[in-house]
Amino acid sequence: MMEALRLRVQAIDLEMKTITVRSGNEGKDRVTTFPISVPPLLQTHLVRVKLVHEGDLVQGRGEVYLPYSLQRKYPSAPKEWGWQYVFPAGFAVDHTFHFSQLTNPGFDVILRDIFVPLRAGAAICIPESRDILLSEQLLVQWLDERSIDLIHCVPGLFSIFNRNVSRQKNFKSLKYILFAGEKVNPAELKKWYNVFDEQIRLVNLYGPTETTLAKVFYHIKKTDADKKIIPIGQPIDGARVIILDKNMEICDNLEVGELYIRTPYRSWGYYNQPGLNKQKFHGHCKRRMQPQLHPGTRFLSPVEGIVYSPARRSLQ
């Protein structure tokens, strides 16, 4: 699995139907082959990956990790197509990242704060005192001193350090800010984009506890700051969202309805609370792929795959 995740584009020879695995088992290189049916599928996949990479380059991103010696010898290589990952992550997180851990331990999204960096071999940075979280100036200073690459926070916390940001010299290392738990206020984004433009990627996440956190995401754009609503976006791999009306029929575009999330990765339900399980889960404990309902949460049926939540306040 890890060999596949680390695979670079230049390691694949579609004509010869071979893959060169670098530093594989026991740290040795080897060449392996793949079936004749694979090249067309792999070629289609690489076309999609390259389009995303080219878009990232336009926005000043698109760099991948390289060992220090290689990066020093070939300084432009991290942006070159041949060095890109064949199966890139939705967020290019690796062991060089510094994650901020700003979440209260009682908030379930702390699981994402802890296990994502641990899985990537990255560092988790925790503020030394609560005073840092309550001070605009101290929080910005702490994020800079720790060279934070990724911030995962509620929009309310974002508004605290956003108030004290007035120059681009802040957040030199920062690559992503992931929002979760509250509605994103478009007005809060205008000042941010005026300072940083789109060099730091903002992402809106949606996913109740019952679905084991994020199941929908949206890459926020600069133009979204002029909108009234920030979308919750589209489902991640392994999830499907359905918006149904009161008759359990699929809603038309921009029709308001209830959101169902279908995923094999949801929780099994609430312990010893059959009434709550019946309310929250459709087909609970019969088929794990059955949709999950969240009564009282209203959504606009998607247009071009993007879901909007006009009444969203809190996901918990």
Side-chain angles (χ1 to χ4, degrees):
M1 175 64 79
M2 290 308 299
E3 289 180 352
L5 294 177
R6 296 189 183 116
L7 198 61
R8 311 282 182 147
V9 171
Q10 64 180 354
I12 294 179
D13 189 328
L14 292 174
E15 185 176 347
M16 298 299 295
K17 303 179 183 62
T18 62
I19 297 174
T20 302
V21 179
R22 302 292 184 186
S23 301
N25 293 333
E26 300 181 355
K28 298 179 179 180
D29 297 348
R30 72 179 191 277
V31 177
T32 185
T33 59
F34 47 78
I36 193 171
S37 60
V38 169
L41 299 173
L42 195 53
Q43 181 64 52
T44 300
H45 170 75
L46 289 174
V47 168
R48 290 197 298 265
V49 172
K50 191 172 185 179
L51 286 173
V52 173
H53 173 59
E54 289 173 347
D56 287 341
L57 290 177
V58 171
Q59 297 182 13
R61 295 187 284 266
E63 292 190 21
V64 294
Y65 164 77
L66 287 182
Y68 178 69
S69 57
L70 278 174
Q71 188 161 345
R72 184 176 56 182
K73 187 175 181 179
Y74 307 108
S76 62
K79 289 188 176 183
E80 292 176 1
W81 169 237
W83 286 104
Q84 302 305 304
Y85 290 108
V86 175
F87 303 105
F91 305 99
V93 173
D94 59 39
H95 70 279
T96 66
F97 265 57
H98 291 80
F99 281 64
S100 64
Q101 204 290 292
L102 308 177
T103 306
N104 186 302
F107 193 14
D108 60 357
V109 297
I110 195 173
L111 297 174
R112 189 158 53 225
D113 284 351
I114 294 174
F115 287 107
V116 171
L118 286 180
R119 181 65 183 82
I124 303 173
C125 302
I126 305 174
E128 291 78 3
S129 72
R130 182 171 174 79
D131 293 339
I132 293 174
L133 295 177
L134 300 177
S135 168
E136 304 167 16
Q137 184 175 356
L138 290 178
L139 182 54
V140 171
Q141 181 180 341
W142 182 84
L143 292 168
D144 280 335
E145 289 177 350
R146 296 298 182 274
S147 299
I148 298 299
D149 296 279
L150 187 148
I151 298 172
H152 178 220
C153 66
V154 294
L157 184 59
F158 169 78
S159 67
I160 292 177
F161 61 80
N162 189 30
R163 286 197 295 266
N164 200 55
V165 171
S166 58
R167 54 198 182 278
Q168 281 195 330
K169 75 174 186 179
N170 292 122
F171 306 141
K172 287 295 186 180
S173 300
L174 190 59
K175 299 175 179 65
Y176 301 104
I177 299 180
L178 310 184
F179 297 123
E182 298 172 356
K183 179 180 178 181
V184 178
N185 181 4
E188 288 280 352
L189 304 179
K190 289 186 177 182
K191 178 184 176 182
W192 179 268
Y193 282 121
N194 286 338
V195 176
F196 296 104
D197 199 59
E198 292 188 321
Q199 69 185 56
I200 298 170
R201 184 171 292 181
L202 307 183
V203 184
N204 194 20
L205 302 177
Y206 174 85
T209 303
E210 294 90 346
T211 62
T212 58
L213 306 180
K215 287 296 175 283
V216 182
F217 73 101
Y218 178 73
H219 288 286
I220 300 172
K221 302 182 290 293
K222 185 177 181 179
T223 53
D224 290 324
D226 296 319
K227 296 180 179 179
K228 294 182 179 180
I229 302 171
I230 300 296
I232 64 169
Q234 57 193 17
I236 65 173
D237 291 343
R240 181 187 177 193
V241 296
I242 312 169
I243 299 179
L244 304 178
D245 62 20
K246 61 182 180 181
N247 297 317
M248 302 297 287
E249 299 290 338
I250 296 177
C251 293
D252 294 328
N253 285 349
L254 296 181
E255 182 181 355
V256 176
E258 302 284 355
L259 180 73
Y260 286 76
I261 299 176
R262 176 177 288 177
T263 175
Y265 306 111
R266 65 173 175 80
S267 68
W268 283 106
Y270 294 91
Y271 182 66
N272 282 341
Q273 298 189 58
L276 190 57
N277 287 329
K278 183 177 180 180
Q279 179 189 30
K280 292 284 186 178
F281 295 91
H282 182 79
H284 172 70
C285 286
K286 294 180 181 178
R287 290 171 54 192
R288 294 196 76 184
M289 284 297 292
Q290 286 287 0
Q292 176 183 340
L293 174 65
H294 300 277
T297 306
R298 309 293 287 174
F299 292 84
L300 289 171
S301 191
V303 176
E304 297 182 352
I306 304 299
V307 179
Y308 291 82
S309 173
R312 179 186 180 191
R313 292 183 178 84
S314 174
L315 303 184
Q316 304 306 310

